[in-house]
């Protein structure tokens, strides 16, 4: 049995095995405003709000959609879907993605 936690800023993968990783996302400069979008070429990515408030954004190439996140719901950015999340200073979001998600299979663009 392992109990993992992360109380720092930004994103940190707290558990990784050969198939998936679980990360904790917390407030930081890059998650404080809608400044960019990213997409992953080989994986879906799931987000669940544990505390605080968060807004999940997607972009389809023409329009930005905004989702006010609710606790006890899972928000999935599908493979190749542009997305970004903005969180409050007291927010904690758990993130699930493939273990091999990396800079090599992720594209970003700044607004």
């Amino acid at each position: 049995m392992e109990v993992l936690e992360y109380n720092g800023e930004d994103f940190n993968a707290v558990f990784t095995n050969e198939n998936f990783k679980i990360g904790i996302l917390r407030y930081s400069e890059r998650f404080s405003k809608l400044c960019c979008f990213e997409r992953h070429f080989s994986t879906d990515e799931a987000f669940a709000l544990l505390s605080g408030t968060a807004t999940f954004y997607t972009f389809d190439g023409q329009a930005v959609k905004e989702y006010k996140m609710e606790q006890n719901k899972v928000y999935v950015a599908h493979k190749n879907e542009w997305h970004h999340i903005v969180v409050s200073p007291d927010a904690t979001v758990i993130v699930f993605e493939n273990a091999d998600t990396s800079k090599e299979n992720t594209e970003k663009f700044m607004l």
Side-chain angles (χ1 to χ4, degrees):
M1 174 63 182
E2 217 176 338
V3 177
L4 307 167
E5 69 178 327
Y6 176 67
N7 294 310
E9 291 186 346
D10 210 69
F11 173 81
N12 186 53
V14 295
F15 177 81
T16 303
N17 69 19
E18 63 277 358
N19 298 313
F20 64 91
K21 66 177 133 180
I22 301 171
I24 296 177
L25 185 151
R26 305 208 48 205
Y27 182 84
S28 69
E29 178 65 27
R30 78 172 164 147
F31 299 122
S32 68
K33 60 185 177 275
L34 182 58
C35 59
C36 58
F37 282 96
E38 70 177 30
R39 64 180 174 178
H40 308 293
F41 299 125
S42 61
T43 183
D44 296 336
E45 187 174 23
F47 301 78
L49 178 64
L50 300 179
S51 63
T53 60
T55 305
F56 193 81
Y57 296 91
T58 61
F59 177 63
D60 65 6
Q62 295 181 338
V64 174
K65 291 185 181 175
E66 177 182 297
Y67 305 87
K68 298 290 184 191
M69 294 180 72
E70 298 177 40
Q71 291 181 5
N72 303 314
K73 293 188 178 183
V74 176
Y75 298 80
V76 178
H78 293 286
K79 180 170 58 171
N80 291 316
E81 183 174 29
W82 292 106
H83 62 281
H84 186 69
I85 187 171
V86 174
V87 300
S88 64
D90 61 339
T92 300
V93 176
I94 193 163
V95 181
F96 304 88
E97 61 189 0
N98 283 1
D100 65 352
T101 303
S102 66
K103 292 178 184 176
E104 288 73 33
N105 55 28
T106 299
E107 182 179 15
K108 295 183 181 188
F109 77 86
M110 303 301 289
L111 297 176

